[in-house]
Amino acid sequence: RKEVEQDPGPFNVPEGATVAFNCTYSNSASQSFFWYRQDCRKEPKLLMSVYSSGNEDGRFTAQLNRASQYISLLIRDSKLSDSATYLCVVITKAAGNKLTFGGGTRVLVKP
Amino acid sequence: DGGITQSPKYLFRKEGQNVTLSCEQNLNHDAMYWYRQDPGQGLRLIYYSQIVNDFQKGDIAEGYSVSREKKESFPLTVTSAQKNPTAFYLCASSILPPNTGELFFGEGSRLTVL
């Protein structure tokens, strides 16, 4: 089993709709979680951290479910510019602060 | 402006040749990383370094070598021993420990083996 897994998609989303997807992690000792965005043929960039209580940043909502060992990202009112690959990142302090990337979920927002 | 600079952006190599990818940062970050990304895939860690003159293998270090002689520089050599070197290579840096989760990436180097 991979340490961090994501549904590769693509998730085809009508403009203005809501889309949500998850990222599961296998190490229960993992303690920090993040979402990155990667545009086609570009470098990844940090989108947002994921806090235990859940957090929002504009149209984006991130949540953490420690019991089931997954994080989620929800995008409301999708824009064409939201089309990208979303990568989750998990940091495990017990493994020397190892950062592990998921394989990414591709989102395509269509008019 | 602070950031990470990778070069070259595009590189073509003949089979059997070694090639070195440059990565320089002026963010004063202690940690630097090299990742490989294949089409439609996530990032896989090749090597990382937390201090000058020290580095550790990542998940796919075979066929690669690195050096960290200066804090600012972390070059990656793709050797002829790497069986499938065609990929997108990303260099990144971060503070230590990386609790903020923020890696600063270069724009990447796209290597094609002919």
Side-chain angles (χ1 to χ4, degrees):
Chain A
R1 182 185 174 186
K2 288 184 181 178
E3 290 182 62
V4 181
E5 290 195 85
Q6 294 183 251
D7 183 337
F11 284 61
N12 293 299
V13 185
E15 193 175 8
T18 296
V19 61
F21 41 89
N22 296 337
C23 164
T24 59
Y25 60 95
S26 61
N27 192 333
S28 59
S30 298
Q31 85 281 4
S32 301
F33 309 91
F34 307 87
W35 284 104
Y36 274 70
R37 172 193 169 123
Q38 185 176 23
D39 292 308
C40 189
R41 301 178 74 82
K42 297 283 191 181
E43 74 276 21
K45 292 184 179 177
L46 181 65
L47 178 66
M48 62 194 297
S49 305
V50 184
Y51 300 126
S52 297
S53 54
N55 49 296
E56 278 189 17
D57 184 359
R59 297 180 293 106
F60 297 82
T61 300
Q63 292 193 313
L64 166 64
N65 185 318
R66 284 197 186 275
S68 300
Q69 294 184 202
Y70 72 87
I71 61 172
S72 64
L73 183 66
L74 182 146
I75 308 173
R76 284 188 304 277
D77 187 24
S78 297
K79 312 291 184 190
L80 296 177
S81 57
D82 294 332
S83 296
T85 296
Y86 293 86
L87 303 162
C88 64
V89 173
V90 174
I91 296 181
T92 306
K93 189 175 180 180
N97 285 313
K98 181 181 180 183
L99 284 93
T100 305
F101 280 82
T105 295
R106 192 169 172 217
V107 173
L108 296 174
V109 182
K110 302 191 173 180
Chain B
D1 277 20
I4 295 191
T5 302
Q6 284 187 245
S7 64
K9 205 165 185 178
Y10 299 95
L11 186 62
F12 298 89
R13 182 192 103 175
K14 291 183 181 178
E15 278 193 31
Q17 286 181 335
N18 290 356
V19 62
T20 297
L21 308 180
S22 169
C23 178
E24 303 277 333
Q25 55 104 353
N26 60 6
L27 299 167
N28 199 33
H29 285 166
D30 289 307
M32 296 187 75
Y33 312 81
W34 273 105
Y35 289 92
R36 169 182 172 140
Q37 188 174 36
D38 293 287
Q41 305 291 316
L43 278 68
R44 292 186 291 168
L45 182 64
I46 304 172
Y47 269 99
Y48 67 101
S49 169
Q50 297 183 335
I51 194 170
V52 173
N53 291 324
D54 190 43
F55 46 82
Q56 285 76 43
K57 292 182 179 180
D59 300 316
I60 55 163
E62 186 175 349
Y64 300 97
S65 65
V66 292
S67 63
R68 186 90 185 273
E69 296 177 2
K70 298 186 300 182
K71 187 176 184 177
E72 302 80 19
S73 179
F74 192 41
L76 173 75
T77 297
V78 184
T79 75
S80 56
Q82 170 50 235
K83 298 304 178 190
N84 294 296
T86 294
F88 186 42
Y89 290 89
L90 286 157
C91 179
S93 72
S94 75
I95 60 171
L96 276 178
N99 289 337
T100 65
E102 186 159 22
L103 296 183
F104 291 79
F105 284 91
E107 293 186 335
S109 294
R110 205 165 290 276
L111 172 63
T112 302
V113 174
L114 304 172

